[in-house]
Amino acid sequence: LHIAILASILSLIICWLIRDSRRVSNLSGKHVFVTDCDTGLGKSLAKWLDKRGFCVIAACATEKGGQELRSSSSLSLKTVNLSLADSNSIARAVVFVTEETAGKGLFGLVSIAEGTAPVAPTDWLRTEDFHSVLDVSLLGLIEITLKLLPLLKKAEGRVVNLINAKGLMAFVGGGYSLSKWGMEAFSDTLRIEMQHFGVKVSIVEHGFFKAGAVNSDAIERDLLRLWNRLTPDIRDSYGEKYFVE
């Protein structure tokens, strides 16, 4: 019995030592760029990293979002406007990050993006409906990652892609699940390729959390808009009863 207790204590000590050895030290001067920081998870993460001592560069879609974040953070936290659907906006953000890191490289890139996606059966949708989410949540994130790779390689940093687990369950048509599965594949490939440069690539599949009430009225209005634009033959194939249910 005593041997078993000693073995358990030894195992715990080893686990603690391994855990502590993986913690990042000397946080001062390490730059981390976080996307989608206006509200929710991105904003909370930027503030937490700032309190830990990282040099945080937070990307916000609106000037108001940036002002609110700066007002509740330290002076070292910087914000930059970013629209992941706009290549020019991405290019400007990359220039800003390059200037802020001042030759040190980028220690971390944390990507969070939730594009607007219509919720409806697939044959109710058009190509532009897929673009509304894929341009932000997949192609936009890929573009900014590619443009920041030189800075990440310089610092032997890490890429962390946060993916909402609900997007991995394909229960409705549209581009939302496509964007999340696409980021999984992109991250897995990049992880293998970046090992040579000392850059780590991780995926965090986070669960559901309270980020505001679901606007059922908006979803219903969007469904009605899509229903009304359907061709008569597609609408007849579903029938009015399908839409009401």
Side-chain angles (χ1 to χ4, degrees):
L1 179 62
H2 293 297
I3 295 176
I5 293 173
L6 288 173
S8 298
I9 294 172
L10 182 60
S11 297
L12 286 172
I13 293 172
I14 292 173
C15 288
W16 284 333
L17 290 173
I18 293 174
R19 181 199 63 185
D20 291 342
S21 69
R22 294 178 180 273
R23 288 183 175 177
V24 177
S25 58
N26 301 320
L27 305 184
S28 179
K30 287 183 167 63
H31 289 82
V32 179
F33 181 58
V34 186
T35 69
D36 198 19
C37 294
D38 291 80
T39 58
L41 185 57
K43 184 177 182 179
S44 298
L45 178 60
K47 293 171 68 174
W48 183 83
L49 290 170
D50 178 54
K51 289 179 180 178
R52 291 293 304 275
F54 285 102
C55 297
V56 178
I57 306 172
C60 298
T62 64
E63 183 58 36
K64 179 183 177 182
Q67 289 176 351
E68 291 179 352
L69 182 55
R70 289 193 301 272
S71 67
S72 59
S73 306
S74 75
L75 294 176
S76 66
L77 182 142
K78 308 295 182 183
T79 62
V80 59
N81 289 344
L82 174 64
S83 170
L84 287 172
D86 183 353
S87 291
N88 291 326
S89 178
I90 291 174
R92 289 191 294 270
V94 170
V95 170
F96 183 84
V97 173
T98 302
E99 292 174 348
E100 286 294 320
T101 53
K104 298 177 182 178
L106 184 62
F107 180 74
L109 167 61
V110 183
S111 293
I112 311 166
E114 294 288 318
T116 303
V119 178
T122 299
D123 63 349
W124 290 24
L125 304 174
R126 298 173 181 171
T127 305
E128 56 264 30
D129 297 318
F130 287 84
H131 276 292
S132 69
V133 62
L134 293 176
D135 287 350
V136 173
S137 297
L138 180 58
L139 298 178
L141 282 185
I142 290 175
E143 183 175 354
I144 198 163
T145 302
L146 294 178
K147 289 186 175 179
L148 289 174
L149 278 180
L151 295 178
L152 289 159
K153 288 159 71 174
K154 186 178 184 66
E156 294 189 354
R158 62 280 318 275
V159 177
V160 181
N161 290 321
L162 274 66
I163 299 174
N164 196 322
K166 71 181 180 182
L168 303 177
M169 298 178 286
F171 56 86
V172 68
Y176 190 78
S177 291
L178 290 176
S179 70
K180 302 311 173 188
W181 289 359
M183 280 309 298
E184 290 262 349
F186 174 72
S187 302
D188 289 343
T189 303
L190 191 66
R191 182 183 306 113
I192 297 170
E193 296 169 345
M194 287 296 108
Q195 286 179 352
H196 175 73
F197 302 99
V199 176
K200 299 175 182 176
V201 180
S202 303
I203 301 169
V204 177
E205 296 175 354
H206 62 85
F208 299 91
F209 61 94
K210 188 175 182 179
V214 175
N215 191 336
S216 57
D217 290 338
I219 294 175
E220 187 173 342
R221 285 196 300 271
D222 203 31
L223 273 173
L224 183 60
R225 175 183 65 83
L226 295 172
W227 172 262
N228 289 333
R229 81 176 189 188
L230 291 176
T231 59
D233 55 332
I234 294 179
R235 196 182 301 156
D236 291 344
S237 70
Y238 281 89
E240 294 285 346
K241 185 179 179 180
Y242 181 91
F243 181 72
V244 173
E245 291 177 348

